[in-house]
Amino acid sequence: MKPAAFDYVRVRSVREAVDLLAAKDDAKILAGGQSLTPMLNLRLARSQLLIDIKRAEGLRSLAADDSVVAIGVGWTHAEIEDGVFEDPTRGLMRHVARGIAYRAVRNRGTIGGSLAHADPAADWVSTMAVLGATLVCEGAGGKRRHVAADSFLQGAFLTQLASDEVLVAVEVPRLSAQARWGYYKICRKAGEFAHALGAVIHDPARNICRIVVGATDGPPKLLPGTAAALAADPMSEALDGLDQEIIAALPEHEPAARRLHATAVRRAIAAMSTRMDH
Ligand SMILES: Cc1cc2nc3c(=O)[nH]c(=O)nc-3n(C[C@H](O)[C@H](O)[C@H](O)COP(=O)(O)OP(=O)(O)OC[C@H]3O[C@@H](n4cnc5c(N)ncnc54)[C@H](O)[C@@H]3O)c2cc1C
């Protein structure tokens, strides 16, 4: 199918994009186009105006200090995979990028587009939640808002972004040299969207242990009880309370789906335990 007719504008600044979003009700940002263009083609989405931000100033920025790296949303999955800039997460972001779709999609798809699109099964959604990252949204008059990544999604394809805001950066906390991580997505073919996803970070030097279960049909869920048990005994893979915590976190899910999610989390923890080099 072909998309319904639309106008196209390539903007040079975020401010220009925000002004256009405010002026037109159904205007949409176009980043890598890897999710939006198939939806337009299938007429699952419609827009009279596409605002292409690929060349907007400042969206391929990097600003680092000792504890956080602010990554502009315009970096592609492929650039992250290739290590074009230093990975503040000791390899987690490169690992995640490598597992997204296939190279042609990764060449164009952006980290910001993935987060703003808010598919619950998307890799960056769960990754940024487990990292405790912060998303930076810019609205009218250049006003910026900071939103915790683990509360950015309000539901499937629904975020805290206002209709006239652009996601401009992701502030990713640095992991320490002692940190370890595990990431496991269950899908039928390599590079597919996950059916279930587990992600874990243990950074004793920063007193952080976080576990996320993702690809849940809604926002990723933190599992604080299991994370506390893991922090108390990092070599433990038993984690007796995990199944109960998954039931509480995913009350609407069928038992088989919950088992799949629990398996993804267990495998992420196991991957972390064997990954002593990170
Ligand atoms: C075959 C295939 C397989 C895939 N497999 C995976 C997978 O395994 N894992 C995975 O995570 N993803 C997967 N994807 C999705 C891919 O990661 C996309 O790159 C991503 O979802 C969208 O990024 P984009 O830059 O292309 O955004 P676009 O498609 O351009 O935009 C997506 C949406 O976000 C909005 N948007 C984009 N940028 C901003 C911004 N800065 N501020 C506000 N709104 C914005 C747009 O208006 C649009 O609604 C797959 C895609 C394809 C086609």
Side-chain angles (χ1 to χ4, degrees):
M1 272 174 80
K2 291 227 161 52
F6 56 81
D7 291 328
Y8 169 91
V9 179
R10 176 176 276 172
V11 294
R12 294 279 170 189
S13 68
V14 171
R15 181 162 291 205
E16 216 185 313
V18 168
D19 289 346
L20 286 166
L21 282 174
K24 278 247 180 200
D25 270 356
D26 70 347
K28 279 195 185 299
I29 298 289
L30 176 70
Q34 296 306 291
S35 295
L36 183 57
T37 43
M39 290 182 72
L40 290 170
N41 287 344
L42 293 167
R43 302 202 178 195
L44 295 170
R46 278 183 191 238
S47 169
Q48 285 181 10
L49 175 65
L50 293 192
I51 306 164
D52 186 340
I53 56 167
K54 265 195 291 297
R55 301 210 184 142
E57 210 177 309
L59 295 186
R60 289 168 56 78
S61 58
L62 280 176
D65 65 24
D66 287 349
S67 53
V68 170
V69 179
I71 299 171
V73 291
W75 295 100
T76 64
H77 313 317
E79 287 166 328
I80 297 170
E81 173 185 16
D82 292 347
V84 166
F85 56 86
E86 177 217 343
D87 181 348
T89 65
R90 303 189 60 73
L92 171 59
M93 286 183 66
R94 285 187 76 173
H95 173 86
V96 167
R98 206 164 33 240
I100 296 176
Y102 44 85
R103 185 72 187 189
V105 172
R106 300 200 288 273
N107 279 336
R108 286 182 170 271
T110 63
I111 185 167
S114 176
L115 290 164
H117 187 58
D119 187 324
D123 290 87
W124 293 126
V125 165
S126 293
T127 304
M128 291 304 141
V130 80
L131 283 165
T134 302
L135 307 192
V136 186
C137 315
E138 186 170 321
K143 197 168 164 215
R144 289 193 166 194
R145 234 162 31 95
H146 290 71
V147 181
D150 56 29
S151 62
F152 184 65
L153 251 71
Q154 296 186 314
F157 307 102
L158 193 64
T159 72
Q160 288 204 37
L161 266 179
S163 58
D164 63 348
E165 278 182 326
V166 174
L167 184 62
V168 291
V170 190
E171 293 179 351
V172 179
R174 282 183 189 280
L175 295 183
S176 79
Q178 292 80 44
R180 290 184 300 145
W181 51 263
Y183 189 84
Y184 197 92
K185 79 180 198 186
I186 295 179
C187 42
R188 288 201 182 88
K189 285 193 290 181
E192 265 187 354
F193 277 107
H195 299 296
L197 195 158
V200 53
I201 283 175
H202 186 211
D203 193 350
R206 292 176 54 226
N207 207 16
I208 290 172
C209 190
R210 285 166 72 93
I211 300 177
V212 155
V213 57
T216 64
D217 302 338
K221 305 277 184 178
L222 287 167
L223 302 177
T226 310
L230 187 69
D233 180 5
M235 297 314 286
S236 160
E237 285 176 31
L239 301 172
D240 297 334
L242 173 63
D243 294 318
Q244 284 308 315
E245 200 170 25
I246 294 259
I247 290 172
L250 307 175
E252 311 284 322
H253 282 60
E254 297 290 328
R258 287 192 200 126
R259 269 199 296 280
L260 207 59
H261 284 90
T263 301
V265 171
R266 283 203 167 83
R267 289 186 184 172
I269 293 170
M272 181 188 79
S273 304
T274 53
R275 189 178 281 115
M276 298 307 286
D277 54 327
H278 285 289

